[in-house]
Amino acid sequence: MSFNEQDRRFMLRALEVAEQGRGYTEPNPMVGAVIVRDGRVLAVGHTRPFGGAHAEVVALEACGKAAEGATMYVTLEPCAHQGKTPPCAPRLVEAGLRRVVVAVEDPTPKTAGKGLAHLRGHGVETEVGLCREDAVRQNAAFFKMAAIGRPLVTAKWAMSADGKIATRTGVSRWISGEASRRAVHRERGVSDCIVVGGRTAALDDPLLTCRDAERRRVAARLVMCGRTAPAPDCRLMQTLDEAPVLLAYCEGSPPEGLGALVAAGCEALPLPSLEGPPGRVSPPALLDELGRRGMSNVLVEGGAAALGSFFDTGQVDRALAFVAPRIVGGGGAPSGVAGRGVERIRDALEMKRLEVERTGGDVLLRGWIIDPVEWVR
């Protein structure tokens, strides 16, 4: 297809509009739509919270009869099936749109080309592929779930300039600054599940809740237990009314104290163990279970052993590394990621499409470990 600079400008606007749905539409994708005539934007729309109107319909309703003969730019193929809302593709035909430009096809079997076929079958000029990779990365969680049924995994840690996440005595508060911690809360606010290891839960006694005014989702808090469950008086237990707590452990080896926590309201998840060190839950098995529950965004916050198990098994899609201008030192002080690691530097994982951002006095390194575009090839 041949697209001009004006086409690109309007699709980028549609992607910008789509972003307004982040944290609200999941497990459905974020979608943005822009209706244009003679180079002028007539209306825009983004998909409403899960179960609400889709972007195309929102834009059409805002545009009214002026949509006849116009062009729509939309970030994902319009649906052609009845779901919680009626199909969008017939609405676009009824509105009399002359042309529809789509960023990327919908990969789910219920749509998968059917929306495009409906438009073309009714004489609407339809083009696909403009800003395709941008659209896939924006909805990385949706495309991964469609491809393999597992949620998108973001690994996050905060470390000193010399790579330490705590002192040799285990003290970690606070390596990063307030601005970095606010950024983490924003990330929590668009996540479905926040994961920590059992040792981190014991040492840090974290809340793992989102303390951000713009919180969009309430994430479940999951502890990858070893042989001992969290303490009954820990802060996770004290805040069960704010967010659920899941306790993952190896099948056949329930941790000490598990029964009392389940009785108090936690949910136990017996899962296959990871090959190698005993007592470690398999990250792929954990993600399979979370995917079955419709969780599309998972944030792994540590500690080093938990992060290492996700990296070692190839389950991390995206990484957020907050680097504070501090030197901790100490041969016994833990680094951000443990596990087996790699034997040769050439085998080290690379953060692709790296973004570097100042968060107060710290530096945030943000990048992809697995480019989402790989899920749709």
Side-chain angles (χ1 to χ4, degrees):
M1 294 293 178
S2 178
F3 301 108
N4 59 36
E5 190 54 39
Q6 180 172 272
D7 287 329
R8 179 174 174 76
R9 177 162 57 90
F10 290 130
M11 186 60 80
L12 289 175
R13 174 69 174 130
L15 288 164
E16 180 183 296
V17 171
E19 196 63 32
Q20 296 177 46
R22 184 173 298 279
Y24 294 123
T25 65
E26 291 87 345
N28 284 349
M30 297 167 277
V31 181
V34 174
I35 300 176
V36 175
R37 183 201 299 277
D38 299 327
R40 184 170 66 89
V41 173
L42 303 179
V44 302
H46 65 87
T47 295
R48 296 311 192 226
F50 182 63
H54 291 188
E56 303 94 316
V57 173
V58 173
L60 286 173
E61 290 181 347
C63 193
K65 293 183 179 179
E68 187 172 352
T71 295
M72 174 181 284
Y73 297 84
V74 60
T75 58
L76 185 70
E77 176 184 359
C79 64
H81 66 280
Q82 175 69 47
K84 290 183 178 294
T85 60
C88 293
R91 291 287 301 271
L92 273 60
V93 173
E94 293 166 10
L97 288 168
R98 178 186 64 83
R99 179 179 179 231
V100 174
V101 181
V102 176
V104 62
E105 304 91 335
D106 189 322
T108 56
K110 57 191 177 184
T111 297
K114 299 181 181 69
L116 296 171
H118 184 91
L119 294 173
R120 289 166 178 154
H122 288 80
V124 179
E125 181 185 342
T126 306
E127 298 170 89
V128 186
L130 178 60
C131 300
R132 182 175 187 269
E133 293 190 357
D134 294 326
V136 171
R137 292 187 184 105
Q138 182 177 62
N139 274 308
F142 170 72
F143 282 97
K144 184 180 179 183
M145 284 283 283
I148 63 171
R150 288 179 182 165
L152 188 81
V153 176
T154 298
K156 163 264 165 185
W157 64 97
M159 63 185 179
S160 61
D162 59 337
K164 309 298 186 180
I165 61 171
T167 67
R168 58 184 171 78
T169 60
V171 177
S172 62
R173 290 182 177 153
W174 293 104
I175 283 180
S176 59
E178 185 177 343
S180 294
R181 298 197 295 275
R182 284 199 302 269
V184 172
H185 282 287
R186 289 194 293 273
E187 195 72 30
R188 289 178 179 179
V190 295
S191 298
D192 296 300
C193 186
I194 300 166
V195 177
V196 295
R199 180 172 170 78
T200 296
L203 289 176
D204 294 352
D205 191 19
L207 276 171
L208 303 179
T209 54
C210 173
R211 277 91 75 191
D212 183 84
E214 296 184 10
R215 180 178 66 184
R216 301 180 177 199
R217 304 183 77 71
V218 177
R221 300 167 294 173
L222 187 147
V223 179
M224 297 176 73
C225 299
R227 292 185 171 85
T228 305
D233 61 348
C234 71
R235 297 203 294 172
L236 290 174
M237 298 302 297
Q238 294 172 14
T239 53
L240 272 171
D241 59 334
E242 295 182 32
V245 173
L246 308 177
L247 304 174
Y249 65 94
C250 295
E251 292 173 332
S253 302
E256 181 182 345
L258 178 67
L261 300 185
V262 171
C266 295
E267 182 179 356
L269 294 181
L271 294 167
S273 60
L274 184 66
E275 290 185 12
R280 295 207 180 281
V281 167
S282 163
L286 172 60
L287 296 175
D288 284 339
E289 175 60 29
L290 298 182
R292 282 190 289 271
R293 293 165 178 251
M295 295 184 179
S296 57
N297 282 282
V298 170
L299 178 63
V300 183
E301 291 207 15
L307 285 166
S309 70
F310 276 86
F311 275 107
D312 284 346
T313 54
Q315 300 306 311
V316 176
D317 298 292
R318 177 173 170 259
L320 305 176
F322 294 88
V323 184
R326 303 171 186 267
I327 306 296
V328 173
S335 63
V337 179
R340 293 190 312 274
V342 299
E343 295 182 358
R344 300 171 298 185
I345 291 298
R346 69 186 186 193
D347 296 328
L349 296 173
E350 182 180 352
M351 295 172 70
K352 308 178 187 76
R353 304 186 68 82
L354 181 67
E355 298 176 12
V356 181
E357 175 186 337
R358 289 293 298 267
T359 53
D362 305 332
V363 174
L364 168 60
L365 305 178
R366 180 194 294 113
W368 294 98
I369 305 301
I370 301 174
D371 192 325
V373 174
E374 296 181 23
W375 299 118
V376 295
R377 283 177 178 165

